[in-house]
Amino acid sequence: KQEVTQIPAALSVPEGENLVLNCSFTDSAIYNLQWFRQDPGKGLTSLLLIQSSQREQTSGRLNASLDKSSGRSTLYIAASQPGDSATYLCATQKYGNKLVFGAGTILRVKS
Amino acid sequence: GAGVSQSPSNKVTEKGKDVELRCDPISGHTALYWYRQSLGQGLEFLIYFQGNSAPDKSGLPSDRFSAERTGGSVSTLTIQRTQQEDSAVYLCASSLPPGSTSTDTQYFGPGTRLTVL
């Protein structure tokens, strides 16, 4: 059974700082790994999806890496802004199957 | 087109009552998922529909939970004889068939917040 762990559980940083969120998973036989953002009282917004054959994906100030063999992924946020404050969720997926989520990292960027 | 929509956005019910939650997926998305997000449990999978295939019900927590998808589009999640532990946010997501594009992103609706008193 896949287990996804996210560290840290919460993070508070000053505006402008670069930061890294960590995700680890126990079953490396995944089809893809996705990072989502969730704002309070809202649904999930997909940020980045990394296929199992890929090593990283970039979108703007976000960069996600994947090391499938070691069961790890990181989400790097450059030059953080208060608008980045949200809960960040990592999820793995097998082919055509459900997402298995981590518990999330609550990020607060202080202005 | 429009994203995934869910209704109602909030539902308060009394213990023992039945509730129905609705999900309208993105047009053309053949895959539809239900998840539940509750305090202390995180986000957990409930049920998955893919086209005309038999649904994957492996995540349903009890036989009080059921879901159907009519015409390959709208889905309804039904909870019978609700209990207080059913209180959670119920999220629906849809996607294109697996492997049909370069991305298998699931698009989530805003959720239905269920409170069982």
Side-chain angles (χ1 to χ4, degrees):
Chain A
K1 178 185 173 185
Q2 177 74 287
E3 292 183 4
V4 180
T5 304
Q6 291 187 245
I7 294 173
L11 183 62
S12 182
V13 300
E15 182 177 5
E17 201 164 283
N18 302 326
L19 57 99
V20 175
L21 307 182
N22 296 289
C23 172
S24 62
F25 46 96
T26 55
D27 182 357
S28 62
I30 62 172
Y31 181 59
N32 64 50
L33 182 143
Q34 300 177 47
W35 284 92
F36 292 88
R37 168 185 174 138
Q38 186 174 33
D39 293 282
K42 307 281 186 177
L44 276 64
T45 300
S46 178
L47 297 173
L48 290 165
L49 182 151
I50 311 176
Q51 300 285 3
S52 61
S53 58
Q54 298 174 323
R55 295 298 298 257
E56 67 176 347
Q57 282 287 328
T58 299
S59 176
R61 294 182 293 108
L62 304 180
N63 176 276
S65 67
L66 173 64
D67 185 341
K68 203 174 84 157
S69 60
S70 68
R72 295 185 182 186
S73 175
T74 60
L75 179 66
Y76 176 82
I77 302 177
S80 57
Q81 302 171 357
D84 295 331
S85 298
T87 297
Y88 289 81
L89 293 156
C90 163
T92 64
Q93 184 179 28
K94 288 186 180 285
Y95 183 81
N97 209 318
K98 63 188 179 187
L99 290 167
V100 179
F101 286 89
T105 294
I106 301 171
L107 173 64
R108 180 186 171 209
V109 180
K110 299 172 288 186
S111 56
Chain B
V4 178
S5 60
Q6 293 186 245
S7 61
S9 55
N10 280 284
K11 177 71 176 179
V12 180
T13 190
E14 295 179 346
K15 178 182 172 181
K17 299 283 190 182
D18 298 352
V19 295
E20 285 189 351
L21 312 179
R22 176 187 169 105
C23 171
D24 282 89
I26 293 172
S27 178
H29 281 193
T30 60
L32 186 147
Y33 304 78
W34 282 98
Y35 297 88
R36 177 170 73 173
Q37 187 172 34
S38 50
L39 287 175
Q41 295 293 326
L43 256 159
E44 52 182 347
F45 164 78
L46 296 176
I47 188 168
Y48 162 50
F49 296 89
Q50 173 53 46
N52 295 321
S53 302
D56 176 357
K57 305 179 182 180
S58 60
L60 294 178
S62 77
D63 58 8
R64 295 185 296 104
F65 287 72
S66 63
E68 63 177 20
R69 189 176 184 192
T70 54
S73 181
V74 172
S75 177
T76 302
L77 177 69
T78 301
I79 309 174
Q80 296 179 308
R81 305 181 302 282
T82 52
Q83 303 294 313
Q84 289 182 331
E85 60 263 27
D86 299 335
S87 295
V89 176
Y90 290 81
L91 291 164
C92 175
S94 71
S95 71
L96 290 168
S100 61
T101 68
S102 61
T103 176
D104 295 286
T105 300
Q106 292 184 21
Y107 296 86
F108 281 77
T112 294
R113 180 174 297 277
L114 174 66
T115 303
V116 182
L117 301 176

